[in-house]
Amino acid sequence: MRMTPDTGLISRAASLINVTDAGPATPPHTSVLIVDDQPRMRESLGALLGSRGYGVELADSGCAALARLEHAPVPDLILLDMVMPGTSGLEVIAALTARELDTRIVVLSGEPSFEHVKRALTQGAADFLRKPFEAEELFSTLARVERALDLERRARVAEKRLTESERLHRFMIDHAPDMVYLLDPEGCFTFVNDRAVALLGWSREALLGRHYASIVDEQDLESARYVFNERRTGDRASRNVELRLRSRLPTHGVVQGGVVQGEVVVEVTATGIYADGGADTQCDGVFLGTYGLARDVSERKRAQEMVQYQAYHDLLTHLPNRALFHDRLELAVTQARRNKGRLAVMFLDLDRFKVVNDTLGHTVGDRLLKLVAERLRNCLRAGDTLARLGGDEFCFLLPDVSCREDAAGVAQKVLDRLSTPFKVEDHEFFVGASIGISVYPDSGESVEALIQSADIAMYHIKGRGKNGYEFFMPEMNAKFCSLLALERELRNALANDELEPFFQPQVDLDTGVIIGVEALARWHHPQRGLVEPIDFIPLAEETGLIVQVDRCIQRKACEAVAVWQRGSHPALTLSLNVSAAQMEQADFVDSMLAMFEETGVVIDCVMLEITESVIMREMELIVPKLRRLGARGVRIGIDDFGTGYSSLSYLQRFPLDILKIDRSFVQDIRGDGDDSSIVNAIIYMARGLGLGIVAEGVENDLQLRYLQRQGCHQAQGDIFSRPVDRDALERYLADSFIRVGSA
Ligand code: C2E
Ligand code: CA
Ligand code: CA
């Protein structure tokens, strides 16, 4: 019940309280609760205060006052009569003090004794007025109390602001992305923020009081001494210095990269803290400790190291790459030069790896490369470097070889290790390799020369039939160049139709009749004349050109034989040499069948000759294809039999019809009494497997008679005819049979 000023009341109050001067108007905000049991006193006081702009409420008893104070807003001031029936003024004070209300009590006391007032003051009253009092006295007392209240309120607001801002700072520090710490002058932690706790995996309790050295990586202790507990300030203080800290948390480190488990890499910025003594000049400049920030840069570090790693490693095999190899070789060369020592570079290229990639896809190819890399790695000795230069090319650096034999030993070891087949998924691979070796200083003195020489030597062995090693020799340079030229020329040869099949007749030994021909490639070189297969087939295989060479020769041979079949030789057989690369073509079977159809050759008379080594290597891949061809009537022969390592069990898994005895065995035939020859064993084995036999490279009567007696009834060789061109063969066919040795 707020009271509005009423002039009648004011004059009454004035009479009571001897109003002389109303004084200046009080700020209107202050609210006053007047508690008095005497209605006149209560109301005149109310009127008086109301006239000065106070907000006034009245209560006629201590009880009513307490009830009013139950609800907000509480009045700023309470004018409290001490002597009231029921709840006394002192009791009201006691009740209010317990409730810690934001209000001030001024007691009104009619008591002559000061005792009463004293008790009120000690119990929490702010001031007192002794009745009767002057209006001026009332206002100045109230003003004093108000001022005190105002001050206290301001202080409270200020304090609240301070706590809040402290909380804010605390929040900011704890939620800072960086670790924030304080060290005492001895270097022990006196403060760490939440981030530090999270980053290091130590509890705050464990960190506080601990010396910083115990969380710094040993290798960085020295630099930490000047950085982590920095004593300098300003521009001279440390900024962004990288340190490794020991975390108790496992970091998700890069496997091959640099950041280690439980390690946090931080950039520290720190500054010394010195006392600002203020008035106390004695304290001025005393070192208090260090304030520092540490930013976690592990992630960036890891990324950097990953980039670094990638720049120097092959990500498939995790071997060093060309760049790193180059660096290491440079170092090794410098050392060898200084020590007048030697070193070897081995350039290794897998034979026909491209085929695996092209036919089975890169996933299989990649897995094979990984396995190969693993085996190669196992051939390394301490100090050696193995790098993958790209594709299927690897390079070894053997920094301390005392002689060529050392390097040869390693090369042989590598070849041996590779000779056991590799298994990827369901495929089994026989991986051959060609290794070129260069030796410092003989083959070259610079890094580039050494790598290039080894490369040339490798190319040389490739050109000579692969799977082996070779040391670089200066002559190879010329050969290398001519090999490159040859490759270019062979491409031209295909484009200009310079290739042609020659035919070597196959003869029935009992009748002397020509029963078939083997088609053999020849190259009519515009300058060099007729080029033999040995001089371009290995190169064609290496470059992949063999597929086109084969197709070209086969088609022309089919065309020729189809003509003869339509003429006087309807059952003339045609043997075609097939390379591994050709068989691995996805459309091998279909394109073969199409070719037979287009040329009109009798399918039942076609035999495909596959070398033993190809069968061994590519079994899984080609067996299904050969079965399909076999089902259409094509016969399959195994060429150069006896030169590889075929076991009987291998051959049984293979859809074979004919076995060709390699000419090296035929040449070994010594005389009629020689029953233990390999030829014997081969013929015996072929019979056991129900295979037909054709001997090749028969040169003389001795060989011929021997073969006949052992039960081989078909043969080819110089004794009948060397391979001849189409016209020459046509003349033979016109004669129909060929001289057969007197059996
Ligand atoms: P090959 O398939 O074993 O062919 C038989 C080789 O023995 C032929 O050599 C032939 O001229 C030779 N020869 C035949 N009779 C005698 C003899 O009585 N004495 C001696 N010393 N040699 C004899 P050529 O024509 O030089 O072929 C060499 C190899 O080149 C072939 O061996 C075959 O592996 C390969 N080749 C030839 N033409 C082709 C072809 O069109 N495609 C494929 N992929 N390879 C071919
Ligand atoms: Ca052949
Ligand atoms: Ca052969």
Side-chain angles (χ1 to χ4, degrees), residues 665-690:
F665 299 119
V666 173
Q667 264 144 28
D668 279 350
I669 294 173
R670 293 280 163 256
D672 276 357
D674 182 9
D675 283 340
S676 59
S677 72
I678 288 183
V679 172
N680 236 353
I682 295 175
I683 294 175
Y684 185 78
M685 193 171 108
R687 283 229 195 87
L689 291 170

Side-chain angles (χ1 to χ4, degrees), residues 518 520 577 609 639 660 696:
E518 175 178 3
L520 292 155
N577 291 294
E609 293 190 4
D639 205 354
K660 287 188 86 174
E696 66 177 14

Side-chain angles (χ1 to χ4, degrees), residues 232-239:
R232 294 164 299 184
T233 55
D235 287 346
R236 291 173 52 243
S238 304
R239 299 195 77 90

Side-chain angles (χ1 to χ4, degrees), residues 329 333 336-337 341-345 437-454 472-474 477:
L329 182 55
V333 165
R337 190 173 296 135
R342 292 154 84 83
L343 65 84
V345 171
I437 308 173
S438 62
V439 177
Y440 172 92
D442 321 358
S443 330
E445 297 198 20
S446 71
V447 167
E448 289 75 18
L450 284 167
I451 295 181
Q452 199 192 16
S453 303
F472 172 79
M473 288 181 297
N477 268 324

Side-chain angles (χ1 to χ4, degrees), residues 504 518 520-522 532-533 537 546 550 553 577-579 609 639-640 663 667 696-699 717-718 723:
Q504 184 172 44
E518 175 178 3
L520 292 155
R522 294 292 182 272
E532 304 270 325
I537 294 288
I546 188 69
D550 278 346
I553 297 297
N577 291 294
V578 180
S579 64
E609 293 190 4
D639 205 354
D640 303 344
R663 60 181 179 278
Q667 264 144 28
E696 66 177 14
V698 182
E699 291 177 345
D718 291 358

Side-chain angles (χ1 to χ4, degrees), residues 570-585:
L572 191 72
T573 63
L574 168 62
S575 294
L576 298 173
N577 291 294
V578 180
S579 64
Q582 189 187 14
M583 274 185 289
E584 284 154 359
Q585 299 293 305

